[in-house]
Amino acid sequence: MVMTKNTTTKPEGSVSEQTRYFISSLPLNVKEIARIIREHWMVESAHWHLDVTFREDTNRTLDRMAAFNLNILRKLVLNFLKIMDLTEFKGPISLKTKRFITSCNPTKYLQQLLTL
């Protein structure tokens, strides 16, 4: 059994703490287990963003190569959205909203996209 305590500090200053438990057959090596858990949650975070921003779970592309290519394009666009600078809007903007804003006027953001 592995137990982790995760502390998250939000931009407005609120702090939340979660305790998570994992079952593992790995040998007891705290640093290695912590690294594996962090890697797992980084992958889950990416999948969550792909599903929320692009509704990837509802995609029903049957052709394997087309599905693979769409997945690569979604990941590329997701990274673009993460680093795009939309400072004309106040406050933080979700990736889904950034996607909508840039799709409404792509020529306005094309130069910024090409320089990333």
Side-chain angles (χ1 to χ4, degrees):
M1 290 289 295
V2 177
M3 179 186 80
T4 64
K5 285 192 175 185
N6 303 42
T7 305
T8 306
T9 305
K10 298 197 176 180
E12 67 270 3
S14 64
V15 177
S16 66
E17 188 173 283
Q18 282 186 321
T19 302
R20 294 182 181 144
Y21 296 92
F22 302 91
I23 298 173
S24 175
S25 61
L26 295 172
L28 186 57
N29 180 340
V30 175
K31 288 185 178 183
E32 182 68 14
I33 291 173
R35 183 189 63 76
I36 291 169
I37 290 172
R38 277 193 301 275
E39 285 178 3
H40 169 77
W41 286 108
M42 285 190 310
V43 169
E44 286 298 318
S45 175
H47 287 176
W48 182 84
H49 278 296
L50 288 169
D51 190 37
V52 169
T53 307
F54 297 101
R55 299 185 64 199
E56 190 174 56
D57 287 348
T58 60
N59 182 17
R60 299 291 177 235
T61 305
L62 296 178
D63 183 90
R64 284 181 173 235
M65 189 54 69
F68 179 76
N69 291 337
L70 285 171
N71 181 266
I72 290 173
L73 287 173
R74 283 188 203 102
K75 288 176 181 174
L76 180 68
V77 172
L78 182 65
N79 286 320
F80 283 151
L81 291 173
K82 284 182 179 182
I83 59 177
M84 279 192 77
D85 182 25
L86 299 177
T87 54
E88 67 262 24
F89 299 96
K90 291 185 179 180
I93 301 173
S94 71
L95 295 176
K96 192 173 184 177
T97 304
K98 278 185 177 182
R99 179 180 174 212
F100 176 76
I101 290 169
T102 55
S103 68
C104 287
N105 191 357
T107 55
K108 179 178 179 181
Y109 300 101
L110 184 60
Q111 185 60 41
Q112 181 181 354
L113 181 65
L114 294 174
T115 58
L116 291 178

